[in-house]
Amino acid sequence: MRALVVDPDVPGSLRLGTAAEPVPAPHQLVLDVRHISLNRGEVAFAGRRPPGTVHGYDAAGVVVRTAADGSGPAAGTRVAAFGAGAWAQRMAVDTTAVAEVPHQVDLAEAAAVPMAGVTALRTLRSHAILGRRVLITGAAGGVGRYAVQLAAIGGAYVIASVGSAPRAEGLAELGADEVVIGLDGIDRPVDVILDTVGGPQLPAAWDLLAPGGGVQNIGWASDEPAVFEPYSLFSMGPAKTMSTFGDVHEVGPDLATLLGFVAAGRLSPEAAWRGSWEQVAEASRALLDRRIAGKAVLDVTRLA
Ligand SMILES: NC(=O)c1ccc[n+]([C@@H]2O[C@H](COP(=O)([O-])OP(=O)(O)OC[C@H]3O[C@@H](n4cnc5c(N)ncnc54)[C@H](OP(=O)(O)O)[C@@H]3O)[C@@H](O)[C@H]2O)c1
């Protein structure tokens, strides 16, 4: 089958090549993949994987083989999926990591949801946000645009931080109450911070945190170090916290929740870049250069 495989000798370390058919474990189904989506981490670090690895985690397609243990959806069901080896014509994926795509939802848009959507959902869910001031950094990006929408659904006052004025476009419509460049103009403490940027902005954001508040670090898109001045983590009153995130265990139910929001018109997948997987280098470059407002979705085109 054809697949996007790791090749350290090409720009971006990914090329369309061939790979062996996946061999499903008893708790896995086989998906005929129709669309995939890119995430910054996978694209940025593709070259760290062994050459020939089938890369990627986000896919949407149609079940072609049910799991041997009887779990999961029937053959012919349209599903979104999260699992290693997604960027291929077929993937074997745990039945606990897929969700049926409601008939109202476009399958390509569903491919934009898994990693970024579940990350935003799970990080927000670990904080009380109703009526709270929630700051989202990297708000124009893949995770950020889901976080803005879900924080608004959850009843937060949403402050969306972007890197430059043009990147503010569309965020108010998605539910941001304020859009700021960097941290400029945030004149009152915030209760929760979802941070996808890291770097020097992180200690500056920490200083904005109210007593009892929490920073949820999700990623480090800036790729720059963060320096906390001595004693800057000291604060009087209820503890301020900083948390990590990497919980992608059994995402199926959360994926179903997100697709339900999409079906109800409450959540936009923000599939801003569309093209064939033959264009993976172009899409990856645009993502890394901060030129995509949301997600890149690639179609798994067949050979003529
Ligand atoms: N922990 C997990 O499980 C998990 C899951 C998903 C993602 N992540 C991580 O979360 C981060 C965001 O992922 P994503 O897919 O949302 O990425 P993305 O779509 O590329 O968005 C990243 C955002 O970061 C902002 N940014 C600020 N400074 C930057 C800089 N110096 N270089 C590049 N971007 C900068 C950009 O802002 P502007 O657009 O305003 O310029 C961009 O919108 C990545 O580090 C990713 O690896 C972690």
Side-chain angles (χ1 to χ4, degrees):
M1 65 175 181
R2 296 211 299 166
L4 291 174
V5 295
V6 173
D7 180 348
D9 296 329
V10 301
S13 302
L14 282 172
R15 69 174 163 78
L16 195 50
T18 55
E21 289 287 338
V23 179
H27 62 284
Q28 292 185 314
L29 56 79
V30 179
L31 188 65
D32 184 53
V33 178
R34 306 285 169 84
H35 311 277
I36 60 173
S37 80
L38 310 183
N39 294 287
R40 172 171 285 266
E42 295 151 350
V43 169
F45 304 130
R48 296 184 185 180
R49 307 289 306 280
T53 303
V54 178
H55 202 39
Y57 287 88
D58 286 350
V62 177
V63 177
V64 283
R65 182 166 158 190
T66 52
D69 69 2
S71 64
T77 308
R78 298 187 328 146
V79 300
F82 175 88
W87 295 351
Q89 284 186 296
R90 281 165 292 282
M91 79 181 289
V93 59
D94 297 359
T95 54
T96 54
V98 305
E100 184 168 350
V101 177
H103 68 88
Q104 308 93 320
V105 178
D106 178 67
L107 199 55
E109 298 221 313
V113 177
M115 184 184 288
V118 169
T119 298
L121 178 73
R122 289 189 169 182
T123 49
L124 283 166
R125 193 188 271 149
S126 58
H127 300 270
I129 61 166
L130 180 62
R132 298 278 166 82
R133 286 166 61 80
V134 175
L135 168 64
I136 295 159
T137 72
V143 175
R145 297 181 95 83
Y146 284 112
V148 166
Q149 297 178 78
L150 294 171
I153 288 173
Y157 181 88
V158 182
I159 305 166
S161 164
V162 296
S164 59
R167 299 291 281 172
E169 195 178 330
L171 290 173
E173 290 76 3
L174 293 182
D177 296 286
E178 285 178 40
V179 185
V180 296
I181 298 174
L183 303 178
D184 295 348
I186 303 177
D187 53 8
R188 284 196 292 133
V190 297
D191 302 297
V192 175
I193 301 171
L194 257 59
D195 178 42
T196 65
V197 171
Q201 194 172 273
L202 178 55
W206 174 266
D207 289 341
L208 291 170
L209 201 59
V215 176
Q216 178 75 64
N217 179 256
I218 294 170
W220 212 277
S222 70
D223 225 19
E224 292 177 70
V227 177
F228 286 85
E229 294 298 330
Y231 298 103
S232 61
L233 299 189
F234 175 80
S235 85
M236 296 295 291
K240 304 204 286 188
T241 59
M242 193 173 324
S243 318
T244 61
F245 178 75
D247 177 13
V248 289
H249 186 61
E250 297 191 353
V251 302
D254 288 342
L255 193 45
T257 296
L258 292 161
L259 291 167
F261 286 150
V262 177
R266 301 175 71 192
L267 182 70
S268 162
E270 299 292 282
W273 196 101
R274 290 288 308 274
S276 160
W277 68 346
E278 315 259 357
Q279 296 164 275
V280 65
E282 184 186 331
S284 300
R285 195 64 262 159
L287 182 63
L288 295 179
D289 290 346
R290 302 156 74 173
R291 285 187 276 118
I292 298 179
K295 299 281 301 173
V297 173
L298 309 187
D299 304 326
V300 175
T301 46
R302 303 294 189 247
L303 285 172

